[in-house]
Amino acid sequence: MTTATTTPAAPLALAAEFPPATEAQWRAAVDAVLKGKPFDKVLVGRTADGIPVQPLYPRKEGAAPLAGRAPGIPWTIAQRADHPDPAAANAQALEDLSGGASGLVVVTRGAIGDRRGDAMVIDGLADLDALLAGVMLDLIPLRVDAGTSAGHVAAILAAKAERDGLDPKSLTIAFGIDPIGAFARRGTLESWNGTAAKASDAVLALRARGFAGTQLLADGRVIHDAGGSEAQELAYVLGTAVQYWRMLEAAGLPLGEAARALSVVLSVDADQFLSAAKIRAMRRLWARLETACGLAPSHLDLHAETAWRMVTKVDPAVNWLRTTTAVFAAGIGGADHVVVEPWTAAIGLPDGFARRVARNTQLILIEESNLHRVADAAAGSGGIEALTDELCRRAWALFQDWEGAGGIVAALSSGTVQAAVAGVRAERATAIARRRAPLTGASEFPNVREAVPEVLTPPKRETRRGAAPIELPEAAGGERFEAQVRAFAGGAIRSALSRLKSDTIFVDPLAPARLAEPFEALRAELDALAAAGTRPKVFLAVIGPVAAFTARATFARNLFEAGGFDAPIPEPFPDAAALTAAFRASGAAIACLCSTDELYSAEATDVAKALKAAGARQLWLAGRPGDLEQGLKAAGIDGFIQAGGDVLEVLRTARGAL
């Protein structure tokens, strides 16, 4: 019997019919188009850390894939369990898990992930039982996001596992104990020594019980939520990790075990390449940190969440695109677990549809796009490799600066970290106000007639108090935590184990803020006026034919509607008298002239005078006035709107004319 053999087909050379091009030829073609404009200013972008982003990168030769998520294994599709009612949260969780989710994140009141302040309260074992009824904890990864309550929730989980006969080694739980993150978010701390003793006590007890997973968390979201840069987020995570390693070493845990006690959470946003590079940079930095400490590099349990600061209340459907891009970045970057903020999260408590979209965003990228099947898909990509290298370099340098200041807790206590984040946040706020960093649906292409999607009404549920206090031993080698486990197993609630805070350190908190909030605040004011009667209008005084005014009229409409005004573009007017009559009929208090520079020179002065005489309380002109400025102001023009101008200032000024 013989077998046929075939010769493999030659690779298909798609560019074989085109002559090879060099970078020099490309640059010459670009310079011809730029016509003398500076290449670096026009085509080279900058990240918040000042990293240049070139328009063209060669492939990075010899690049090897980073060791991250196991090749071919999907990341965990994690869903938030955050409904204030544990029973309702359980129904949502079961629906999520039956609908394709493969992990859960329990978010409690006051946690870093509780930006709206309406997450659940877990007071005792009954609440946790209600939340996790029917959930097979030995089949899914679970992460706890509980802020200052993380130690108590960990003890309740330990009591539940023991009572239910679950083998701790069979459970994959990231307990999320993160007192540094809680300090950064709240701005208060009793003392580092006392806090560290309690955290170490819990870690030692959980590890003695044999729980798989991690006990501590280094959470970069607190930096990202507050407006920090990518390098700042990475440096903060490194500093937090080192502080925890020192803490556990002092408590008697070997350094190698201390390193394996930590998980990391990073935010990913709509900057696809930068987010992917940040995930990759975290793995490289973690390996470098372990090597610097004399440890062999090990796997880092890396969680990614779509960024809170990027989502919008207005035109929230755009959040579908933002989160899809962010998940793509997390997936190719190599995250182990990914959480998607539902698209209506900024509006209120997401309903079942929003939660389904959140998990399906990931399911489609895994099941249909097979995004997980390539190990480190970005390896060798010139642009992402360059961003990864620069993020590593800058984050490591900043981490060393904060270490030199005494460590991350000392840097937070002195306000050093907060000042650095505030500087980046202020620069970004300026770029957003001037629309150099556009927010689709908020600052650009708004829709003032959009329908607001439905969200759930959260039930009011407060922490139960009044229980008789239970005395606990001092934190040491796990004794305090074990006493908490016994108390919760016996039916105790958190208030019986909590004591009045005796904080001694007070600093500026790293509070979360979404990028679109300034625009949304203006929109909300005018939306309220619209709900009470008529939406305030800006009359676009178009001059000349459609071809003459369309560009600037469209610019003006987008600008004013970003603040909640109604600014429709009218048909051309035959003369100034018809334009003035239309303004009177519109009922608007504000008008904006829109046309070409040539027509402004010929007609703008007369039109402005006519509009002022017709009752315009405020008059704008779209474009740069040039030599006409003084004459236009004398005719009644109050201000000029142009690309690069402060849009928020214009909108606030316009609001004052109502």
Side-chain angles (χ1 to χ4, degrees):
M1 185 176 183
T2 59
T3 58
T5 59
T6 58
T7 302
L12 180 61
L14 297 176
E17 297 180 9
F18 298 92
T22 65
E23 184 176 350
Q25 291 173 317
W26 172 82
R27 181 59 186 268
V30 169
D31 288 340
V33 173
L34 290 177
K35 298 179 180 178
K37 295 179 181 177
F39 178 91
D40 288 345
K41 289 187 177 181
V42 176
L43 293 182
V44 179
R46 297 275 171 180
T47 72
D49 293 300
I51 298 172
V53 180
Q54 301 290 338
L56 187 68
Y57 288 91
R59 173 176 174 79
K60 184 175 181 179
E61 298 295 337
L66 291 175
R69 190 178 62 244
I73 303 299
W75 61 84
T76 302
I77 301 173
Q79 284 279 85
R80 290 166 57 99
D82 57 358
H83 195 287
D85 179 3
N90 171 256
Q92 289 179 336
L94 293 178
E95 181 179 353
D96 290 331
L97 293 170
S98 65
S102 52
L104 293 175
V105 178
V106 175
V107 185
T108 70
R109 189 76 54 85
I112 288 176
D114 178 34
R115 288 92 170 192
R116 292 188 310 271
D118 59 3
M120 73 175 67
V121 176
I122 296 180
D123 277 326
L125 191 52
D127 292 329
L128 196 64
D129 282 339
L131 169 63
L132 298 177
V135 176
M136 298 181 183
L137 289 177
D138 53 350
L139 296 183
I140 64 164
L142 182 73
R143 175 161 63 88
V144 177
D145 184 6
T148 56
S149 304
H152 285 151
V153 176
I156 298 170
L157 271 168
K160 177 176 175 59
E162 185 174 54
R163 187 205 60 196
D164 293 350
L166 296 172
D167 180 4
K169 295 183 177 62
S170 71
L171 307 179
T172 304
I173 301 176
F175 285 95
I177 299 172
D178 181 22
I180 296 175
F183 170 40
R185 172 57 59 86
R186 289 162 51 90
T188 65
L189 185 70
E190 54 171 323
S191 72
W192 175 241
N193 289 338
T195 299
K198 293 174 185 176
S200 298
D201 178 270
V203 171
L204 294 174
L206 287 167
R207 294 185 72 80
R209 283 176 169 263
F211 278 98
T214 58
Q215 298 78 48
L216 296 172
L217 185 68
D219 194 342
R221 292 177 302 166
V222 70
I223 299 293
H224 198 275
D225 283 359
S229 71
E230 287 72 25
Q232 288 172 346
E233 185 178 357
L234 293 169
Y236 169 85
V237 167
L238 293 176
T240 300
V242 168
Q243 192 95 40
Y244 286 150
W245 290 4
R246 291 191 181 112
M247 175 188 83
L248 293 179
E249 263 201 310
L253 198 67
L255 183 57
E257 290 190 41
R260 291 190 292 275
L262 262 75
S263 291
V264 164
V265 180
L266 297 177
S267 293
V268 285
D269 60 25
D271 192 323
Q272 174 181 305
F273 299 136
L274 194 55
S275 291
K278 181 169 67 176
I279 298 288
R280 299 178 79 248
M282 185 71 256
R283 293 211 180 276
R284 282 179 50 181
L285 288 165
W286 192 262
R288 183 176 182 182
L289 193 62
E290 289 180 311
T291 302
C293 293
L295 300 174
S298 60
H299 178 76
L300 168 65
D301 185 44
L302 203 162
H303 302 249
E305 282 199 9
T306 59
W308 171 254
R309 78 183 187 200
M310 74 174 176
V311 297
T312 61
K313 285 184 178 180
V314 295
D315 206 354
V318 181
N319 294 330
W320 293 27
L321 304 178
R322 296 184 179 106
T323 54
T324 300
T325 303
V327 172
F328 185 95
I332 66 171
D336 295 298
H337 319 268
V338 181
V339 173
V340 172
E341 277 279 7
W343 65 288
T344 58
I347 300 172
L349 190 63
D351 63 5
F353 174 68
R355 296 178 67 87
R356 179 161 65 91
V357 171
R359 65 178 183 266
N360 283 354
T361 299
Q362 302 195 57
L363 280 168
I364 290 170
L365 290 174
I366 290 173
E367 300 297 340
E368 296 188 18
S369 300
N370 289 286
L371 203 63
H372 61 291
R373 297 198 182 279
V374 179
D376 193 12
S381 166
I384 297 181
E385 290 280 12
L387 285 172
T388 302
D389 291 344
E390 277 298 306
L391 282 175
C392 286
R393 185 176 68 81
R394 294 174 191 239
W396 189 264
L398 185 56
F399 158 64
Q400 289 182 310
D401 287 345
W402 290 344
E403 280 294 292
I408 196 65
V409 171
L412 286 166
S413 300
S414 66
T416 301
V417 176
Q418 294 90 326
V421 170
V424 173
R425 183 174 62 243
E427 289 185 9
R428 185 182 288 110
T430 298
I432 289 171
R434 296 180 178 277
R435 298 201 294 191
R436 293 197 299 267
L439 304 174
T440 303
S443 67
E444 293 272 26
F445 311 112
N447 178 10
V448 294
R449 296 172 183 81
E450 67 188 1
V452 179
E454 292 184 1
V455 293
L456 301 177
T457 301
K460 186 171 182 177
R461 183 175 184 272
E462 300 298 334
T463 302
R464 297 191 295 275
R465 301 193 182 280
I470 298 174
E471 293 302 320
L472 298 172
E474 291 296 319
E479 295 86 354
R480 181 184 179 88
F481 185 84
E482 288 298 336
Q484 291 176 325
V485 173
R486 291 191 296 272
F488 284 122
I493 60 175
R494 283 197 304 127
S495 62
L497 307 179
S498 300
R499 298 295 178 266
L500 290 175
K501 295 292 184 182
S502 55
D503 293 339
T504 61
I505 303 173
F506 300 89
V507 299
D508 291 333
L510 288 169
R514 292 178 298 101
L515 302 178
E517 286 179 11
F519 283 93
E520 291 172 351
L522 291 168
R523 277 283 297 270
E525 291 179 7
L526 270 63
D527 287 348
L529 294 176
T534 304
R535 182 174 295 280
K537 295 177 180 174
V538 173
F539 178 78
L540 299 185
V542 296
I543 302 172
V546 171
F549 64 70
T550 295
R552 280 176 170 161
T554 302
F555 174 84
R557 181 187 63 191
N558 282 336
L559 186 150
F560 286 109
E561 291 192 349
F565 291 93
D566 188 11
I569 301 176
E571 294 296 321
F573 298 107
D575 51 40
L579 185 154
T580 305
F583 168 73
R584 288 195 184 96
S586 72
I590 304 168
C592 180
L593 276 63
C594 305
S595 192
T596 62
D597 292 344
E598 291 78 10
L599 287 174
Y600 284 158
S601 180
E603 302 182 35
T605 298
D606 292 338
V607 171
K609 289 179 179 179
L611 288 171
K612 278 291 187 177
R617 291 202 291 270
Q618 199 174 89
L619 199 54
W620 299 87
L621 182 139
R624 300 181 185 277
D627 296 337
L628 301 176
E629 183 171 359
Q630 294 304 316
L632 290 170
K633 286 183 175 180
I637 297 294
D638 297 296
F640 305 92
I641 59 173
Q642 62 236 341
D646 190 331
V647 174
L648 285 172
E649 183 60 30
V650 169
L651 292 173
R652 293 186 184 111
T653 302
R655 173 70 178 84
L658 299 180

